[in-house]
């Protein structure tokens, strides 16, 4: 199946996320997102910085913008809620705190949806992060294609299983006739 063309990353995500969500991990499975370099992905033509995010052990959060590091904290909200609070710190105090809902998580993508009605405010609703070694040389549309491949590969797997089951039923039916 081909991924339909969209003008914005948000439109791509609105198409892709519903079909890949069944394969998402949740935030309780921290091994999927901690101690990894997550590169921020945006569809803004004026965005030229390399922004990395690190969610480390001990709830340490680091944001690197072209090598300039800002410290903060992250923490999961009540278990099972799939919400994460990310705080940036300055002088020991939180200067920016943001609440996100998990939209999708696997080894290569960590996609958060900012809580609240961001669209009404004209702000992006998704915070898209890709595993740096995988996405560092990709344009945002290529990253969306890679994300959609999760659907393609799993869809193909289930199609192959269905065909295999049909073949087994046919073979069993043929042997039962003889």
């Amino acid at each position: 199946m081909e991924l339909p063309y969209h003008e914005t990353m948000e439109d791509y995500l609105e198409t892709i996320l519903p079909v890949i969500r069944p394969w998402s991990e949740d935030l309780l499975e921290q091994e999927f997102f901690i101690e990894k370099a997550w590169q921020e992905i945006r569809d803004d033509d004026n965005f030229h910085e390399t922004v990395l995010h690190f969610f480390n052990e001990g709830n340490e959060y680091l944001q690197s913008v072209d090598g300039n590091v800002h410290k903060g904290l992250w923490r999961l909200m009540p278990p099972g809620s799939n919400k994460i609070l990310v705080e940036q710190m300055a002088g020991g105090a939180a200067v920016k705190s943001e609440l996100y809902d998990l939209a999708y998580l696997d080894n290569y993508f960590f996609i958060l949806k900012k809580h609240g009605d961001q669209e009404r405010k004209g702000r992006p609703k998704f915070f898209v992060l890709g595993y740096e070694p995988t996405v560092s040389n990709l344009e945002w549309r290529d990253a969306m294609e890679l994300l959609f491949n999760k659907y393609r590969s799993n869809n193909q797997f289930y199609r192959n299983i269905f065909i295999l089951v049909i073949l087994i039923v046919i073979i069993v039916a043929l042997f039962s006739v003889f």
Side-chain angles (χ1 to χ4, degrees), residues 96-142:
K96 183 179 177 185
S97 296
E98 296 178 292
L99 180 63
Y100 295 97
D101 297 303
L102 179 66
Y104 184 79
L105 173 64
D106 69 8
N107 285 318
Y108 304 106
F109 288 94
F110 188 13
I111 303 172
L112 301 168
K113 183 177 179 185
K114 188 152 183 194
H115 198 73
D117 189 357
Q118 302 305 313
E119 191 172 19
R120 183 174 53 84
K121 297 174 184 174
R123 297 182 187 142
K125 71 169 119 175
F126 293 106
F127 181 39
V128 181
L129 304 172
Y131 182 50
E132 182 196 20
T134 304
V135 303
S136 64
N137 295 318
L138 297 180
E139 295 294 322
W140 69 268
R141 279 194 170 88
D142 297 327

Side-chain angles (χ1 to χ4, degrees), residues 14-31:
E14 294 288 351
T15 299
I16 297 169
L17 289 173
V19 297
I20 66 169
R21 192 161 290 135
W23 296 285
S24 178
E25 307 301 335
D26 42 56
L27 291 175
L28 293 175
E29 297 171 282
Q30 295 180 15
E31 67 272 14

Side-chain angles (χ1 to χ4, degrees), residues 43-84:
D43 62 355
D44 179 355
D45 290 335
N46 296 318
F47 178 69
H48 301 292
E49 294 81 17
T50 300
V51 181
L52 298 178
H53 301 267
F54 299 87
F55 299 85
N56 295 327
E57 293 279 348
N59 298 88
E60 177 189 54
Y61 168 72
L62 300 174
Q63 178 191 55
S64 169
V65 180
D66 289 332
N68 298 313
V69 178
H70 307 278
K71 294 182 178 184
L73 299 170
W74 67 270
R75 70 173 183 222
L76 298 181
M77 298 316 286
S81 71
N82 265 328
K83 294 183 186 327
I84 186 170

